């Protein structure tokens, strides 16, 4: 395959669509040929995304897709499944950032979403998270980016399964704090500044849809709660794990180093010196890095596992580009090997 590939973005005017365009603009192997938006058709990309004012690109209608090598689809849930045939006609590789192809069974969509109109595509799709599914990504032609809350949780808990500390029948309680960008660019009463500023708001105390991904890919049923907090970017998961037997700090270090020692975008931060002693979204804002860490609470027979990502990067657009790199045989870090800022304000 040629090292230079063409790319398009469906839904380019949303937050994750803008992140995709930012990443693809700086990617050494992708040339952006098209970005679509119904609301901003014929407007420049910079009209919506001021950080991309230098791009000589205007939004076009999603009904007029150009032929490209890779099509990234940043659409609301339910849209991609309706248009997957058109997407695959336009591109050899489709990377979808919605929930439409994340799960493997139609029954899961009946339970967690509103059903599925083309379940025959589910078995063809590959979950995008490379730290979990790298071996199945090369050559994949339909890739589904994981949900940001599920991504943060899976990254935190996966080392415990890899090391045999967890088997799947233990009690695990997960509390996730997320920023406002998770709600997307559309306005609502809850997202206005007066209502959103200063909050720590439980918005999904039980029954969050991302539980389905955690259960499928880790084989674990978790008690899962999500809070909206006063930041723009970021998802921070705190997982309270109650293993069946004693686990030492040495066991935990061995588990996390074993899972992530060779991963280019994972960092383990577990109670060292300095101000940032555990994972924080602020430390990874704007990047494809994920941070994980832990503490051992032997008195309560509990492990506390932390993970932090940028929800629009590692939890969405960055994950999508990372998976596309692997699927297409490119350097997997291409277009993603940059760090964030320090100091920086609220992410």
């Amino acid at each position: 395959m040629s090292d230079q590939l063409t790319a398009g973005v469906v839904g380019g005017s949303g937050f994750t669509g803008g992140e995709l365009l930012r990443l693809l603009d700086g990617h050494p192997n992708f040339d952006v040929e098209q970005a679509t938006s119904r609301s901003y058709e014929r407007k420049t990309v910079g009209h919506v995304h001021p950080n991309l004012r230098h791009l000589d690109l205007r939004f076009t209608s999603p009904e007029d897709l150009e032929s490209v090598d890779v099509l990234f689809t940043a659409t609301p849930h339910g849209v991609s499944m309706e248009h997957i045939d058109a997407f695959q006609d336009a591109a050899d590789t489709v990377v979808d950032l919605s929930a439409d192809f994340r799960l493997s069974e139609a029954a899961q969509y009946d339970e967690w979403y509103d059903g599925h109109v083309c379940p025959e595509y589910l078995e063809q799709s590959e979950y995008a998270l490379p730290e979990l599914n790298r071996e199945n990504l090369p050559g994949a032609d339909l890739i589904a980016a994981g949900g940001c809350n599920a991504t943060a949780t899976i990254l935190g808990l996966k080392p415990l399964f890899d090391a045999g500390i967890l088997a799947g029948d233990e009690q695990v309680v997960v509390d996730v704090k997320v920023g406002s960008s998770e709600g997307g660019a559309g306005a609502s009463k809850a997202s206005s500044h007066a209502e959103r500023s200063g909050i720590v708001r439980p918005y999904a105390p039980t029954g969050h849809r991302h539980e389905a991904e955690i259960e499928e890919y880790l084989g674990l049923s978790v008690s899962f709660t999500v809070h909206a907090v006063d930041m723009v970017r970021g998802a921070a998961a705190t997982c309270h794990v109650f293993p069946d037997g004693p686990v030492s700090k040495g066991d935990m270090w061995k588990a996390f180093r074993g899972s992530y020692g060779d991963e280019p975008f994972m960092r383990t931060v577990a109670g060292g010196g300095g101000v940032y002693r555990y994972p924080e979204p602020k430390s990874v804002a704007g990047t494809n890095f994920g941070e994980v860490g832990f503490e051992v609470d032997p008195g309560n027979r509990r492990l506390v596992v932390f993970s932090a990502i940028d929800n629009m990067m590692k939890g969405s657009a960055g994950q999508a580009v990372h998976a596309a790199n692997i699927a297409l045989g490119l350097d997997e870090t291409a277009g993603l090997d940059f760090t964030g800022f320090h100091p920086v304000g609220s992410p």
Side-chain angles (χ1 to χ4, degrees), residues 42 82 84 92 111 124 210 214 221 231 243 274 295 334 342:
R42 293 187 293 275
E82 295 275 2
I84 185 60
D92 293 329
E111 178 180 358
Q124 153 186 353
H210 290 183
I214 300 166
S221 179
M231 62 182 177
E295 272 298 347
H342 180 264

Side-chain angles (χ1 to χ4, degrees), residues 14 40 44 63 65 72 99 104 108 125 130 140 148 152 177 210 221 270 274 291 307-308 313 318 335 346:
Y40 294 97
T44 65
E63 306 301 328
L65 293 178
F72 295 89
S104 61
Q108 295 168 290
S125 177
C148 54
K177 309 288 196 302
H210 290 183
S221 179
E291 289 190 345
S307 58
M313 283 290 296
S346 172

Side-chain angles (χ1 to χ4, degrees), residues 77-85 100-101 105-107 109-110 113-122:
H77 302 325
V79 173
S80 288
M81 68 175 76
E82 295 275 2
H83 298 279
I84 185 60
D85 290 331
D100 287 5
F101 301 101
E105 300 289 339
Y109 284 91
D110 292 335
Y113 292 89
D114 299 312
H116 206 288
V117 299
C118 54
E120 65 273 16
Y121 284 94
L122 297 177

Side-chain angles (χ1 to χ4, degrees), residues 50-87:
N51 57 325
L52 301 177
R53 285 181 176 136
H54 61 284
L55 290 185
D56 183 20
L57 187 67
R58 291 180 180 272
F59 291 114
T60 59
S61 169
E63 306 301 328
D64 300 317
L65 293 178
E66 298 179 15
S67 178
V68 292
D69 295 308
V70 186
L71 187 65
F72 295 89
T73 55
T75 59
H77 302 325
V79 173
S80 288
M81 68 175 76
E82 295 275 2
H83 298 279
I84 185 60
D85 290 331
F87 294 164

